[in-house]
Amino acid sequence: MAPERGERVAIVGAGLAGCLLAVLLGRRGIEVTVYERRPDPRIAGAERGRSINLAISARGLAALEQVGLRDRSLKQALPMHGRMVHPLGKEQNFQPYSADGERAINSISRAQLNESLLDTAEATPGVTLRFAQRVTGVDVQAGALLMEDGGTEHADVVLAGDGAYSAVRRSLGLNEDADFLEHGYKELTVPPRGGDFALDPDALHIWPRGTSMMIALPNLDRSFTCTLFWPKSDLAALDTPEKITAYFAEHYPDVAGLIPDLVDDYERNPVGSLVTVRCRPWTRRGDGAIVALLGDAAHAIVPFFGQGANCAFEDCIEIDRCLTETGGDWARALALYEERRKPNTDAIAEMALDNFIEMRDRVSSPVYRAKQAATHALERRLAGRYVSRYELVSFSTMPYARIPARIRRQNLALAGAASAVLAGLAVLLRLALRQRR
């Protein structure tokens, strides 16, 4: 489908990815209408208990730079230079993210970032935002968005960023797999204490408890947003105020007293689900329209590498790049977008699942801490040649799919060098023994 005068482009979902993509398309001179099922969050406010602070890192910042929002976003964020681990019954310990201790991921409110993107989209010529407009599906033959009220809206190109439970994706009958963890999540709040942060604001705090964990990210108002990642059966078991307070006193004793609204937050905030969505194809073409999925609608991942938003932003940048490379031919551009992005999103999905195990279990182990110290020492000694997985994911824009192979090559080279050193030592030892004889 080549670009035509009067072609109608629709984006479903005014979340982070939908807004960023709208700005990128608007700046290309493309008229785009964004449909959002919720009322305008700048007026109605964010949904209670479902904010989950974002950890914006190199990929997300590179994308925000493209629309002039990098500096504004960093002013709304707090840098976190490492993890503060809170083992049960032991002293907390700080684990820097980078070998030099200088690099940080950035804690930012999802709602604040979404508002910034909405403001930018609204100010972009050619972009129209339509709130409280629920899209229930797409008819690709008729070129129509199907609306909840029974009506339709014409669209030649539909870009669906309507989340992990995408109505557009379901309507297309694509081959999809949704893998739910047995864990759910629930948010709590640690308010400021004496007008200051109750915990160290330079860290992402983790309370690893084997099969479950709690994390806390700092906010500009000096509060912390805590998120419990527990088996849903455990979340449901705390069904009285007494059980809630007793459990936290036993399992999170160093923070329980810092949450004055613990019972209220726990009882009122909803339990969210954690899902990995794998889908193929991401595009569907009919006589009337071409449809493509992006962000969580195409590849929802669990949040344990802090890459959900960063990854979705990369989707938007890739669509924009592919439009440039194909001269604005939507069909070719979207096919190229899927070809390039699918291997990368599959890779980060697996790394995010692995990082869940690391965060809830491994980080409190002395063996893990020794391994991390050794890794950082190698990074300092072999700067640029040996780089940890965390650095490549969070502090570079290397395609996710290339990272596992890079790590394997590094480890093989390191093993080879170690073997050569040991072989050399063995030769020297044999020579020394002969001389002694």
Side-chain angles (χ1 to χ4, degrees):
M1 182 181 292
E4 298 176 0
R5 197 170 292 277
E7 181 178 71
R8 175 125 188 220
V9 177
I11 293 176
V12 182
L16 301 175
C19 287
L20 177 65
L21 185 56
V23 175
L24 292 168
L25 296 182
R27 293 186 177 186
R28 299 180 70 88
I30 297 173
E31 292 195 3
V32 56
T33 302
V34 183
Y35 296 84
E36 171 55 50
R37 65 177 178 81
R38 303 168 299 168
D40 189 337
R42 294 169 296 179
I43 300 170
E47 295 176 273
R48 179 184 173 102
R50 293 195 182 275
S51 62
I52 295 194
N53 286 39
L54 303 171
I56 293 294
S57 50
R59 299 166 198 274
L61 292 174
L64 292 169
E65 179 76 32
Q66 296 295 308
V67 295
L69 284 177
R70 185 181 188 276
D71 291 343
R72 177 177 171 180
S73 299
L74 285 174
K75 288 178 182 177
Q76 296 176 331
L78 287 167
M80 301 177 294
H81 287 86
R83 299 165 172 165
M84 186 68 77
V85 180
H86 300 249
L88 186 60
K90 299 178 183 177
E91 289 294 319
Q92 65 185 30
N93 61 85
F94 181 77
Q95 301 176 8
Y97 284 131
S98 66
D100 60 9
E102 297 297 319
R103 297 186 179 186
I105 59 176
N106 301 281
S107 173
I108 186 170
S109 160
R110 177 187 293 272
Q112 279 189 307
L113 183 56
N114 204 169
E115 287 181 11
S116 295
L117 284 162
L118 283 167
D119 290 343
T120 305
E122 194 168 57
T124 302
V127 175
T128 301
L129 302 176
R130 293 180 58 181
F131 296 99
Q133 299 285 315
R134 183 185 290 269
V135 175
T136 59
V138 177
D139 184 336
V140 294
Q141 298 306 320
L145 297 175
L146 309 178
M147 310 304 291
E148 186 178 37
D149 62 7
T152 61
E153 297 275 344
H154 172 68
D156 301 295
V157 178
V158 180
L159 304 164
D162 54 340
Y165 307 106
S166 169
V168 172
R169 185 183 69 235
R170 291 198 302 269
S171 76
L172 297 176
L174 304 176
N175 181 21
E176 64 177 271
D177 174 54
D179 182 16
F180 286 87
L181 292 182
E182 65 167 334
H183 293 69
Y185 69 86
K186 182 187 285 284
E187 288 196 344
L188 308 171
T189 300
V190 174
R193 193 177 192 187
D196 205 354
F197 290 99
L199 301 165
D200 184 349
D202 190 38
L204 185 155
H205 294 257
I206 305 177
W207 288 261
R209 296 298 182 261
T211 59
S212 64
M213 69 174 179
M214 180 171 72
I215 67 171
L217 278 73
N219 301 308
L220 287 179
D221 66 0
R222 293 183 170 79
S223 68
F224 280 81
T225 299
C226 297
T227 308
L228 306 172
F229 295 101
W230 295 1
K232 289 186 176 179
S233 57
D234 291 355
L235 287 165
L238 303 188
D239 53 6
T240 68
E242 293 76 19
K243 288 181 181 179
I244 295 167
T245 54
Y247 188 91
F248 275 81
E250 179 181 356
H251 294 278
Y252 303 95
D254 60 336
V255 75
L258 303 178
I259 311 177
D261 295 328
L262 172 61
V263 171
D264 182 61
D265 277 358
Y266 194 94
E267 291 183 333
R268 293 183 59 193
N269 288 349
V271 175
S273 294
L274 299 165
V275 61
T276 300
V277 172
R278 298 177 179 86
C279 170
R280 193 152 199 169
W282 291 358
T283 59
R284 176 62 56 84
R285 187 178 185 184
D287 293 335
I290 185 168
V291 183
L293 308 175
L294 66 141
D296 284 356
H299 51 74
I301 62 176
V302 292
F304 305 113
F305 226 127
Q307 289 298 302
N310 293 285
C311 183
F313 283 166
E314 282 194 324
D315 287 353
C316 302
I317 297 300
E318 192 61 56
I319 289 173
D320 188 52
R321 182 183 295 119
C322 290
L323 282 170
T324 296
E325 293 178 15
T326 60
D329 185 318
W330 278 105
R332 289 173 55 210
L334 293 176
L336 186 59
Y337 149 72
E338 178 181 351
E339 179 185 335
R340 290 176 175 174
R341 290 296 293 159
K342 183 73 167 80
N344 290 303
T345 60
D346 286 346
I348 189 57
E350 292 305 314
M351 288 188 281
L353 287 166
D354 181 67
N355 222 44
F356 181 33
I357 300 171
E358 178 172 306
M359 291 175 71
R360 77 184 194 200
D361 191 10
R362 299 174 190 155
V363 294
S364 58
S365 163
V367 173
Y368 174 87
R369 292 174 63 188
K371 180 181 175 182
Q372 288 301 99
T375 297
H376 285 164
L378 283 169
E379 288 182 285
R380 290 189 293 270
R381 185 73 177 248
L382 304 172
R385 290 177 290 167
Y386 189 93
V387 186
S388 70
R389 185 179 73 167
Y390 193 92
E391 291 246 0
L392 292 171
V393 170
S394 297
F395 304 132
S396 86
T397 56
M398 175 182 284
Y400 294 121
R402 288 172 49 191
I403 293 174
R406 165 71 185 261
I407 297 300
R408 285 194 295 271
R409 288 196 302 271
Q410 287 181 170
N411 289 341
L412 285 171
L414 191 63
S419 295
V421 169
L422 290 174
L425 289 174
V427 170
L428 290 174
L429 180 60
R430 286 197 296 271
L431 289 173
L433 289 174
R434 287 175 184 171
Q435 289 175 355
R436 292 182 65 181
R437 290 171 186 167

